[in-house]
Amino acid sequence: MKIIRCKDYEDMSKKAAALFFSQIHMKPDCVLGLATGSTPVGTYKQLIEWYEAGDLDFSKVKSVNLDEYVGLDGTNDQSYRYFMNENLFNHVNIDKANTNVPNGKAGNMDEEALRYEALIESLGGIDMQLLGIGNNGHIGFNEPSDAFDKITHEVKLTDSTIQANARFFESIDDVPKTAISMGIGTIMKAKKIVLIANGPKKADIIYETCFGPITPHVPASALQMHPDATIIVDEEAYATILAKRGE
Ligand code: GLP
C-alpha cells in the first residue's frame, strides 16, 4: 500500500486524476471503476479539464460504478447514475453505453448483483478502481460487519452512513435504507486501486485503514492486502498518521 500525502483537496484531486490520465493513455479501452460522494468531484473536474484541453480521449473507455441506492432510478437527482452523468459522463466523450452503474430499480437485487458481477467479468475486470471512504471505513457501500462481503450484493446501510449521506437529501427520511454495492472481493480484484480522502473527519479512519488490523469492521483495511493500492490523502486526513508517529 502506497500513501501519497498532499497539501490540500485540490492537490489530492490532481494527483488522483493524474493516475487515471496515465491509465487512459496506457490503455485507451481500459475499464475504470468509478466512485461517487463529494471526495471524487475534484478528480472528475480535473479529468474534464484535461479532456477539454484535448489531452484525454474517453471514446474507448468503459466504466463500472461501485454502487447505487436501491429504489432510485437514473433520473432521480440523488441517484449515483445521475451523479456520474452530472459530474463526469456529460462532460467528456465517453459513450454512455459503455458506462455501467448497478440498477437500483431492478426487481430482484440478487439477480442484479449476479448480472453486475458477470458484466465486470465480461469486460475483462477493472483496470483502475477509484474509491472514497465513509467515516466508518466503508468502501462502495460495504459497511462494517463480521465478514468481508465478496461479491456485489444488496446492503442495509448503517445509521452512521444514512446520517452522513443525509446532507445530500432534503431530509434524513428521504435517504434510502438499502443499496447495491460491489463487494470487497469485487473491489480487490481490480488491478489497481486509488483511494482518496480529505479533511479532518477522515483522519482516524485513514489511520485505521493503513495501519490498523485487517478486519471487516474497517472494510477499507482489506486494501492492505492489495498488491497495487495507492492512498492519496490531504494534510488533514493524514493528521492521525502523523500524530501516532509522534511527528
Ligand atoms: C457514500 C459512497 C461511498 C463514498 C462515501 C464517502 O457512502 N457510497 O462510495 O466513499 O459516500 O462520501 P464522501 O466522499 O462524500 O465523504
Side-chain angles (χ1 to χ4, degrees):
M1 188 182 247
K2 194 174 9 161
I3 305 174
I4 300 181
R5 180 179 166 186
C6 305
K7 202 162 66 176
D8 52 21
Y9 179 78
E10 205 188 326
D11 189 21
M12 176 202 79
S13 303
K14 277 214 167 103
K15 290 201 164 72
L19 294 180
F20 281 83
F21 179 96
S22 308
Q23 175 64 62
I24 296 168
H25 272 271
M26 274 187 309
K27 188 178 174 191
D29 61 346
C30 61
V31 178
L32 301 181
L34 299 177
T36 54
S38 49
T39 315
V41 171
T43 305
Y44 296 147
K45 274 205 177 114
Q46 181 59 72
L47 291 173
I48 293 166
E49 236 177 74
W50 284 330
Y51 164 72
E52 285 172 347
D55 294 330
L56 257 186
D57 176 15
F58 286 82
S59 61
K60 296 198 186 100
V61 170
K62 287 162 258 168
S63 74
V64 284
N65 257 78
L66 284 167
D67 48 10
E68 179 59 283
Y69 287 116
V70 167
L72 304 191
D73 69 27
T75 60
N76 186 308
D77 62 5
Q78 292 306 329
S79 72
Y80 285 168
R81 158 55 76 181
Y82 190 93
F83 174 99
M84 288 311 301
N85 288 347
E86 287 290 304
N87 286 287
L88 182 65
F89 301 152
N90 287 347
H91 309 285
V92 296
N93 66 335
I94 198 164
D95 180 350
K96 285 248 182 75
N98 287 334
T99 67
N100 301 280
V101 180
N103 180 3
K105 289 289 266 184
N108 180 324
M109 281 302 149
D110 292 339
E111 277 174 20
E112 172 59 9
L114 291 176
R115 180 196 71 83
Y116 206 66
E117 281 293 317
L119 168 84
I120 296 170
E121 287 285 312
S122 73
L123 294 174
I126 299 165
D127 290 298
M128 184 175 275
Q129 175 68 56
L130 181 63
L131 295 174
I133 185 168
N135 297 337
N136 61 3
H138 74 247
I139 46 178
F141 266 132
N142 291 276
E143 296 281 30
S145 70
D146 291 336
F148 287 116
D149 285 300
K150 293 196 184 72
I151 67 164
T152 303
H153 59 294
E154 185 173 4
V155 251
K156 191 174 172 305
L157 303 182
T158 62
D159 289 342
S160 107
T161 298
I162 291 171
Q163 269 164 30
N165 290 359
R167 67 202 144 116
F168 300 113
F169 291 80
E170 266 183 29
S171 100
I172 194 160
D173 297 330
D174 295 334
V175 186
K177 307 291 179 282
T178 54
I180 176 165
S181 174
M182 283 185 199
I184 294 292
T186 324
I187 294 169
M188 290 292 282
K189 277 200 273 180
K191 293 173 190 96
K192 300 188 201 85
I193 295 181
V194 178
L195 183 145
I196 49 177
N198 70 292
K201 277 196 199 149
K202 301 283 171 75
D204 287 347
I205 203 65
I206 282 297
Y207 177 80
E208 290 300 321
T209 296
C210 300
F211 299 107
I214 299 170
T215 163
H217 293 284
V218 180
S221 64
L223 302 179
Q224 290 180 33
M225 292 184 292
H226 194 278
D228 194 341
T230 305
I231 315 291
I232 308 183
V233 287
D234 75 346
E235 285 290 345
E236 291 182 320
Y238 195 78
T240 306
I241 295 180
L242 277 185
K244 299 257 187 195
R245 287 177 169 178
E247 285 175 40

